[in-house]
């Protein structure tokens, strides 16, 4: 118990030290021309989350050990990268899309690393812990969501609850540390949702009077990389060095012969020449190198097979076979173009401008944010899809899909929603306070013969 208290005290002291360094402008790799500048209230609130809820979660994860500790390290680095990004946002004007993608690259890489860590360890005894973090971590992508990023964090928290409930059930009255860890994870994302709703209600709050983002260093670019390790010590093996020297001297002496270098070659007789002896050609066989056996075990969940693609093919934007890419942006669109998103996993796509239609086909855990659509948005043969309408959307079709959450805008409230052979469909409608009201699309129906025709009604469940 004394050792645990000491570790907790050390973690708190390190967190306080890091916060003091950031306030004095000495950390984070952000430079705006004045190292003595303080931080905004929103950054201080984010630091409170890092130093309390996140510090508690990481300390409990390190106490659990096993496969949980390495994932906690990456998870903490992701929060640090996001903190640096928010610090830049508090001091700079909103940049162009290209510069924004560069700024969020560090976060995207860490987020993908957390999820890939889980996928590579599906046989781990800590798999429920890894899965809880992997599901919740998607909520840190709120920095790309507008105009309501707080509900996006809540959705990721709800996804993680499925696994935290398993942990609470499996380790109740058996391992209090794991129980506390599961509760700390939910507490962390509840605090993050409150923070986002209070400080970034409609999206990341940039400083309209700030400096240009090009005048600050990108997150993670604080200085040159550390020097590499020293070279390995020389092993004295005199017997192996001498033949190498002799071989080089023989090579140079042979080269010095000039035209006489071919004098030692053996003359080939006519009966040994293939082009003069057909019998030699009949028995010749091409050499087939042996197929090496792979020693690397492939992960259970492989990325979609196919050539990744994101390009405009005539009038069709094709986004295909993308895996773990969180920053795909389709811009410069027009009314005659369609967007086709095919077999993408763990990917976020943002469509700007007005397009004819959008089709999401055979995708998993993919999020699509779009502005105006002339015809319809189709979600077919997919699973765990999130879509957000920022403008007009006449029709929404959901077919053969398990798990679809669609955010409507005030301009798309009159959309016609058609569903078939699908489950877990939820529509979120904006409320006056900026939050969303969630409603489920019925999946179960009752059909009765009324004497003249069949009458079908939705089945409601009470309780």
């Amino acid at each position: 118990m004394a050792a645990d208290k000491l570790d907790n005290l050390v973690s708190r002291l390190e967190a306080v030290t890091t916060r003091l360094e950031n306030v004095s402008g000495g950390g984070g790799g952000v430079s705006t021309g004045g190292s003595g500048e303080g931080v905004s209230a929103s950054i201080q609130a984010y630091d409170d989350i890092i130093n309390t809820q996140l510090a508690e979660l990481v300390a409990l994860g390190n106490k659990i050990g096993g496969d949980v500790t390495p994932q906690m390290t990456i998870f903490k680095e992701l929060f640090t990268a996001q903190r640096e990004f928010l610090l830049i946002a508090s001091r700079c004007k909103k940049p162009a899309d290209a510069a924004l993608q560069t700024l969020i690259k560090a976060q995207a890489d860490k987020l993908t690393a957390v999820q890939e860590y889980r996928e590579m360890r599906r046989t781990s005894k800590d798999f429920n812990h890894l899965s809880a973090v992997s599901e919740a971590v998607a909520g840190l992508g709120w920095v790309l969501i507008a105009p309501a990023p707080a509900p996006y964090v809540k959705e990721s928290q709800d996804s993680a609850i499925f696994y935290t409930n398993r942990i609470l059930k499996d380790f109740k009255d058996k391992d209090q540390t794991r129980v506390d860890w599961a509760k700390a994870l939910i507490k962390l994302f509840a605090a993050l949702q409150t923070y986002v709703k209070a400080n970034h209600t409609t999206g990341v709050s940039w400083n309209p009077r700030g400096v240009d983002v090009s005048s600050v260093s990108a997150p993670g670019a604080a200085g040159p990389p550390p020097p590499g390790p020293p070279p390995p010590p020389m092993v004295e093996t005199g017997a192996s060095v001498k033949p190498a020297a002799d071989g080089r001297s023989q090579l140079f002496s042979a080269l010095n012969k000039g035209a006489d270098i071919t004098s030692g070659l053996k003359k080939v007789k006519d009966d040994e020449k293939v082009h003069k002896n057909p019998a030699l050609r009949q028995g010749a066989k091409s050499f087939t190198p042996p197929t090496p056996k792979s020693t690397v075990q492939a992960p259970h969940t492989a990325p979609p097979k196919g050539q990744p693609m994101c390009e405009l093919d005539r009038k069709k934007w094709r986004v295909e076979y993308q895996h773990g890419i969180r920053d795909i942006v389709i811009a410069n669109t027009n009314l005659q173009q369609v967007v086709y998103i095919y077999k993408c996993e763990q990917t976020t796509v943002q469509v700007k401008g007005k397009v004819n239609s959008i089709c999401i086909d055979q995708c998993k855990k993919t999020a699509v944010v779009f502005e105006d659509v002339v015809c319809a948005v189709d979600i077919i043969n997919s699973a765990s899809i999130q879509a957000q309408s920022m403008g007009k959307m006449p029709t929404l079709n959901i077919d053969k899909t398990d798990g679809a959450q669609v955010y409507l805008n005030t301009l798309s409230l009159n959309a016609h929603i058609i569903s078939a052979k699908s489950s877990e469909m939820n529509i979120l409608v904006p409320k006056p306070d900026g939050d969303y009201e969630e409603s489920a699309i019925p999946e179960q129906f009752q059909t009765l013969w009324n004497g003249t025709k069949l009458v079908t009604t939705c089945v409601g469940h009470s309780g």
Side-chain angles (χ1 to χ4, degrees), residues 96-397:
D97 291 338
L100 180 61
Q101 301 307 320
T102 302
L103 289 176
I104 66 171
K105 185 179 185 303
Q107 299 176 67
D109 292 343
K110 294 297 181 182
L111 193 150
T112 303
V114 170
Q115 295 177 332
E116 289 181 348
Y117 184 87
R118 187 272 295 264
E119 297 299 331
M120 295 294 291
R121 288 163 177 79
R122 286 190 166 271
T123 58
S124 172
K125 64 182 181 63
D126 301 321
F127 182 70
N128 285 334
H129 299 69
L130 306 182
S131 298
V133 177
S134 181
E135 293 294 333
V137 76
L140 290 174
W142 68 267
V143 294
L144 291 176
I145 303 300
Y152 184 80
V153 179
K154 180 64 166 58
E155 290 175 14
S156 300
Q157 177 188 350
D158 293 341
S159 299
I161 288 178
F162 174 79
Y163 292 99
T164 56
N165 285 342
R166 284 187 175 183
I167 297 172
L168 296 176
K169 178 182 177 182
D170 294 341
F171 295 99
K172 182 180 180 181
D173 300 328
K174 295 179 182 179
D175 192 334
Q176 189 60 35
T177 301
R178 294 179 183 267
V179 172
D180 293 342
W181 181 92
K183 294 180 179 179
L185 179 63
I186 300 303
K187 188 192 305 181
L188 169 64
F189 277 86
L192 181 62
Q193 182 193 6
T194 302
Y195 164 81
V196 173
K197 189 173 183 179
N199 298 278
H200 306 275
T201 308
T202 59
V204 175
S205 298
W206 296 87
N207 189 345
R209 300 182 180 180
V211 298
D212 190 80
V213 74
S214 60
S215 63
V216 303
S217 58
M234 296 294 294
V235 181
E236 295 184 0
T237 54
S240 62
V241 174
K242 185 175 181 180
D246 292 343
R248 285 194 296 269
S249 62
Q250 292 176 4
L251 174 62
F252 287 128
S253 62
L255 292 175
N256 290 332
K257 293 181 180 180
D260 296 334
I261 192 172
T262 60
S263 60
L265 296 179
K266 177 183 177 182
K267 182 177 178 60
V268 181
K269 301 178 182 179
D270 290 341
D271 59 350
E272 295 176 347
K273 298 178 181 179
V274 176
H275 65 283
K276 291 187 176 183
N277 191 349
L280 295 178
R281 294 197 298 269
Q282 294 176 359
K285 293 183 179 180
S286 60
F287 172 72
T288 303
T291 303
K293 295 183 179 180
S294 175
T295 58
V296 180
Q297 185 177 4
H300 292 269
T301 303
K305 296 181 179 179
Q307 181 65 33
M309 178 184 301
C310 183
E311 63 180 22
L312 177 60
D313 183 7
R314 296 183 181 179
K315 297 181 181 180
K316 177 188 287 187
W317 283 98
R318 300 176 58 185
V319 182
E320 302 178 2
Y321 299 105
Q322 302 290 339
H323 185 271
I325 308 299
R326 301 286 181 178
D327 52 1
I328 297 177
V329 178
I330 298 178
N332 300 324
T333 58
N334 59 53
L335 295 176
Q336 296 180 346
Q337 295 176 351
V338 299
V339 179
Y340 183 62
I341 305 172
Y342 178 68
K343 283 196 174 182
C344 295
E345 293 186 17
Q346 301 178 11
T347 300
T348 300
V349 180
Q350 183 177 4
V351 182
K352 295 192 172 185
K354 183 180 291 186
V355 296
N356 186 276
S357 63
I358 298 175
C359 180
I360 305 170
D361 185 10
Q362 299 186 43
C363 297
K364 296 180 181 179
K365 295 183 178 180
T366 296
V368 181
V369 181
F370 54 91
E371 294 182 1
D372 293 318
V373 176
V374 176
C375 294
V377 174
D378 300 322
I379 305 175
I380 57 177
N381 298 315
S382 299
S384 301
I385 301 299
Q386 294 181 350
Q388 182 170 3
S389 172
M390 308 292 292
K392 295 182 180 180
M393 177 183 63
T395 306
L396 170 65
N397 296 313

